[in-house]
Amino acid sequence: MQKKETAIEVKVGALVLFSIALLVAFVIILGDFSFDDGFVIYVDYDNAGGLKPGADVAISGIKAGKVERLDFLGGTMDKETGREVMVRAKVVLDPAMASAVRQDSEFYVTTQGVLGEKYIEVLTRNLKAPAVAEDAKLRGVDPPRLEILLARASGVLEEIADLLSRDDIPIADLIRNTNSLFMHADEVLLENRDSL
Protein backbone atom coordinates (compact mmCIF):
# COMPACT_ATOMS: atom_id res chain seq x y z
CA MET A 1 0.00 0.00 0.00
CA GLN A 2 2.87 2.33 0.77
CA LYS A 3 4.38 1.68 -2.67
CA LYS A 4 1.10 2.79 -4.30
CA GLU A 5 1.08 6.05 -2.31
CA THR A 6 4.73 6.73 -3.13
CA ALA A 7 4.12 6.06 -6.83
CA ILE A 8 1.18 8.49 -6.85
CA GLU A 9 3.23 11.14 -5.01
CA VAL A 10 6.06 10.76 -7.52
CA LYS A 11 3.63 11.11 -10.43
CA VAL A 12 1.97 14.17 -8.89
CA GLY A 13 5.38 15.71 -8.15
CA ALA A 14 6.55 15.07 -11.72
CA LEU A 15 3.34 16.60 -13.08
CA VAL A 16 3.79 19.71 -10.90
CA LEU A 17 7.44 20.12 -11.98
CA PHE A 18 6.50 19.65 -15.63
CA SER A 19 3.71 22.25 -15.29
CA ILE A 20 6.07 24.77 -13.66
CA ALA A 21 8.68 24.21 -16.39
CA LEU A 22 6.02 24.67 -19.06
CA LEU A 23 4.80 27.89 -17.40
CA VAL A 24 8.36 29.29 -17.23
CA ALA A 25 8.91 28.40 -20.91
CA PHE A 26 5.68 30.20 -21.91
CA VAL A 27 6.64 33.27 -19.89
CA ILE A 28 10.06 33.41 -21.55
CA ILE A 29 8.67 32.87 -25.05
CA LEU A 30 5.67 35.20 -24.77
CA GLY A 31 7.57 37.77 -22.74
CA ASP A 32 10.20 37.93 -25.47
CA PHE A 33 13.01 37.75 -22.94
CA SER A 34 16.56 37.88 -24.13
CA PHE A 35 19.56 36.78 -22.15
CA ASP A 36 22.16 38.67 -24.18
CA ASP A 37 23.05 42.25 -23.30
CA GLY A 38 22.27 43.99 -26.55
CA PHE A 39 23.54 47.26 -28.03
CA VAL A 40 22.42 50.23 -25.90
CA ILE A 41 21.76 53.74 -27.21
CA TYR A 42 19.79 56.67 -25.78
CA VAL A 43 17.27 58.70 -27.76
CA ASP A 44 16.10 62.12 -26.52
CA TYR A 45 12.65 63.59 -27.16
CA ASP A 46 10.79 66.71 -26.08
CA ASN A 47 7.57 64.68 -26.09
CA ALA A 48 7.45 60.88 -25.85
CA GLY A 49 4.04 60.86 -27.55
CA GLY A 50 2.63 57.84 -25.71
CA LEU A 51 5.76 55.70 -26.04
CA LYS A 52 6.06 53.18 -23.20
CA PRO A 53 8.81 50.99 -21.78
CA GLY A 54 8.78 47.66 -23.59
CA ALA A 55 7.80 49.25 -26.92
CA ASP A 56 9.40 47.76 -30.01
CA VAL A 57 12.16 49.39 -32.01
CA ALA A 58 12.18 48.63 -35.74
CA ILE A 59 14.74 49.18 -38.47
CA SER A 60 13.30 49.08 -42.00
CA GLY A 61 10.09 47.67 -40.56
CA ILE A 62 11.81 44.71 -38.87
CA LYS A 63 11.90 44.39 -35.09
CA ALA A 64 15.41 45.25 -33.95
CA GLY A 65 15.07 45.86 -30.22
CA LYS A 66 13.03 47.35 -27.39
CA VAL A 67 12.65 50.52 -25.37
CA GLU A 68 13.96 49.37 -22.02
CA ARG A 69 13.28 52.52 -20.04
CA LEU A 70 11.91 56.06 -20.34
CA ASP A 71 13.33 58.73 -18.04
CA PHE A 72 11.75 62.14 -17.51
CA LEU A 73 14.63 64.61 -17.20
CA GLY A 74 12.47 67.74 -17.24
CA GLY A 75 14.65 69.93 -19.44
CA THR A 76 17.92 69.13 -17.69
CA MET A 77 20.98 70.27 -19.63
CA ASP A 78 23.04 67.29 -20.81
CA LYS A 79 26.70 68.29 -20.56
CA GLU A 80 27.78 65.67 -23.10
CA THR A 81 25.37 66.70 -25.88
CA GLY A 82 24.89 70.36 -24.92
CA ARG A 83 21.11 70.21 -25.24
CA GLU A 84 18.18 70.27 -22.85
CA VAL A 85 16.50 66.89 -22.51
CA MET A 86 12.87 66.36 -21.50
CA VAL A 87 12.56 62.59 -22.05
CA ARG A 88 15.33 60.06 -22.64
CA ALA A 89 14.57 56.57 -23.95
CA LYS A 90 17.03 53.78 -23.26
CA VAL A 91 16.94 51.60 -26.37
CA VAL A 92 18.42 48.10 -26.47
CA LEU A 93 19.08 46.85 -30.00
CA ASP A 94 19.95 43.44 -31.35
CA PRO A 95 23.76 43.63 -31.87
CA ALA A 96 23.41 42.10 -35.35
CA MET A 97 21.11 44.95 -36.44
CA ALA A 98 22.81 47.81 -34.59
CA SER A 99 25.24 48.33 -37.45
CA ALA A 100 22.36 49.82 -39.49
CA VAL A 101 22.04 52.71 -37.02
CA ARG A 102 24.17 55.67 -38.08
CA GLN A 103 24.85 59.08 -36.57
CA ASP A 104 22.39 60.71 -38.98
CA SER A 105 19.64 58.10 -38.40
CA GLU A 106 16.24 59.46 -37.44
CA PHE A 107 14.14 57.97 -34.65
CA TYR A 108 10.39 58.41 -35.22
CA VAL A 109 7.68 57.57 -32.68
CA THR A 110 4.94 55.99 -34.75
CA THR A 111 2.15 53.43 -34.45
CA GLN A 112 1.51 49.97 -35.83
CA GLY A 113 -1.65 50.73 -37.77
CA VAL A 114 -4.14 53.48 -36.96
CA LEU A 115 -4.82 52.51 -33.35
CA GLY A 116 -1.79 50.29 -32.73
CA GLU A 117 0.91 50.41 -30.09
CA LYS A 118 3.52 53.15 -30.25
CA TYR A 119 7.03 52.11 -31.26
CA ILE A 120 10.26 53.68 -32.54
CA GLU A 121 11.02 53.36 -36.24
CA VAL A 122 14.67 53.97 -37.10
CA LEU A 123 15.18 55.56 -40.51
CA THR A 124 18.72 55.35 -41.90
CA ARG A 125 19.20 57.11 -45.22
CA ASN A 126 22.97 56.88 -45.57
CA LEU A 127 24.74 53.66 -44.60
CA LYS A 128 28.06 55.36 -45.37
CA ALA A 129 27.60 57.77 -42.46
CA PRO A 130 29.61 57.00 -39.31
CA ALA A 131 28.22 54.18 -37.19
CA VAL A 132 26.75 54.96 -33.79
CA ALA A 133 28.86 54.06 -30.76
CA GLU A 134 27.34 52.11 -27.92
CA ASP A 135 25.77 54.35 -25.22
CA ALA A 136 25.47 57.20 -27.75
CA LYS A 137 22.93 59.93 -26.99
CA LEU A 138 20.94 60.77 -30.10
CA ARG A 139 18.09 63.16 -30.87
CA GLY A 140 14.75 61.67 -31.87
CA VAL A 141 12.04 63.21 -34.04
CA ASP A 142 9.16 64.35 -31.84
CA PRO A 143 5.78 62.93 -32.84
CA PRO A 144 3.17 65.38 -34.12
CA ARG A 145 0.84 66.68 -31.42
CA LEU A 146 -2.59 66.16 -32.95
CA GLU A 147 -4.40 68.13 -30.25
CA ILE A 148 -2.24 71.18 -31.03
CA LEU A 149 -2.79 70.78 -34.78
CA LEU A 150 -6.55 70.48 -34.25
CA ALA A 151 -6.60 73.56 -32.02
CA ARG A 152 -4.71 75.58 -34.67
CA ALA A 153 -6.98 74.29 -37.45
CA SER A 154 -9.99 75.26 -35.37
CA GLY A 155 -8.60 78.79 -35.03
CA VAL A 156 -8.05 79.05 -38.79
CA LEU A 157 -11.57 77.80 -39.49
CA GLU A 158 -13.01 80.38 -37.08
CA GLU A 159 -11.10 83.15 -38.88
CA ILE A 160 -12.42 81.95 -42.25
CA ALA A 161 -15.97 81.82 -40.88
CA ASP A 162 -15.57 85.39 -39.57
CA LEU A 163 -14.35 86.56 -42.99
CA LEU A 164 -17.22 84.85 -44.76
CA SER A 165 -19.80 86.37 -42.44
CA ARG A 166 -18.58 89.97 -42.92
CA ASP A 167 -20.78 92.15 -45.09
CA ASP A 168 -18.00 94.50 -46.24
CA ILE A 169 -16.18 91.78 -48.22
CA PRO A 170 -17.95 90.72 -51.43
CA ILE A 171 -17.55 86.94 -51.14
CA ALA A 172 -19.27 86.24 -54.46
CA ASP A 173 -16.73 88.45 -56.29
CA LEU A 174 -13.86 86.71 -54.50
CA ILE A 175 -15.13 83.28 -55.56
CA ARG A 176 -15.67 84.41 -59.19
CA ASN A 177 -12.19 85.92 -59.37
CA THR A 178 -10.60 82.79 -57.90
CA ASN A 179 -12.47 80.64 -60.42
CA SER A 180 -11.30 82.88 -63.26
CA LEU A 181 -7.71 82.71 -62.01
CA PHE A 182 -7.74 78.90 -62.02
CA MET A 183 -9.29 78.74 -65.48
CA HIS A 184 -6.64 81.07 -66.95
CA ALA A 185 -3.85 79.16 -65.21
CA ASP A 186 -5.21 75.92 -66.67
CA GLU A 187 -5.29 77.45 -70.18
CA VAL A 188 -1.68 78.67 -69.86
CA LEU A 189 -0.51 75.25 -68.71
CA LEU A 190 -2.30 73.48 -71.55
CA GLU A 191 -0.88 75.86 -74.16
CA ASN A 192 2.68 75.40 -72.89
CA ARG A 193 2.47 71.68 -72.11
CA ASP A 194 5.15 70.71 -74.65
CA SER A 195 7.66 73.31 -73.48
CA LEU A 196 7.09 72.44 -69.83
Side-chain angles (χ1 to χ4, degrees):
M1 182 136 15
Q2 194 171 10
K3 283 187 176 186
K4 271 189 170 180
E5 290 178 9
T6 306
I8 290 174
E9 289 174 359
V10 168
K11 289 178 183 176
V12 169
L15 180 62
V16 168
L17 288 175
F18 176 74
S19 299
I20 290 173
L22 193 61
L23 177 65
V24 168
F26 277 130
V27 167
I28 289 173
I29 290 170
L30 295 177
D32 199 21
F33 288 105
S34 175
F35 295 107
D36 57 347
D37 292 337
F39 187 88
V40 176
I41 58 173
Y42 298 92
V43 183
D44 299 338
Y45 294 98
D46 288 336
N47 173 21
L51 192 67
K52 296 177 182 168
D56 288 341
V57 177
I59 299 173
S60 298
I62 298 173
K63 184 179 173 189
K66 284 206 172 281
V67 175
E68 185 174 291
R69 190 176 74 230
L70 284 171
D71 296 321
F72 177 72
L73 302 179
T76 305
M77 179 65 74
D78 186 305
K79 294 175 185 169
E80 187 179 324
T81 62
R83 65 176 173 257
E84 293 179 349
V85 180
M86 290 299 290
V87 178
R88 177 166 284 160
K90 180 180 181 183
V91 174
V92 181
L93 297 172
D94 178 355
M97 297 183 78
S99 62
V101 180
R102 302 300 171 150
Q103 289 180 0
D104 64 348
S105 293
E106 296 173 328
F107 300 85
Y108 290 93
V109 176
T110 187
T111 59
Q112 298 172 348
V114 178
L115 299 174
E117 288 288 321
K118 300 280 185 170
Y119 74 101
I120 296 177
E121 178 70 38
V122 180
L123 178 62
T124 301
R125 290 192 167 97
N126 183 8
L127 288 171
K128 294 180 182 174
V132 169
E134 190 157 7
D135 294 324
K137 295 174 182 172
L138 306 165
R139 181 74 177 107
V141 178
D142 291 320
R145 302 279 307 266
L146 293 180
E147 68 276 7
I148 293 174
L149 291 174
L150 289 174
R152 289 181 181 164
S154 174
V156 169
L157 289 175
E158 287 176 10
E159 291 292 327
I160 291 172
D162 288 344
L163 282 174
L164 293 175
S165 64
R166 289 178 53 183
D167 293 333
D168 60 334
I169 299 175
I171 299 300
D173 290 342
L174 178 65
I175 292 172
R176 272 194 298 277
N177 290 339
T178 304
N179 185 34
S180 174
L181 173 69
F182 283 124
M183 285 176 39
H184 289 318
D186 186 45
E187 290 173 7
V188 169
L189 288 173
L190 287 174
E191 289 174 6
N192 297 309
R193 179 187 313 172
D194 294 335
S195 61
L196 291 174

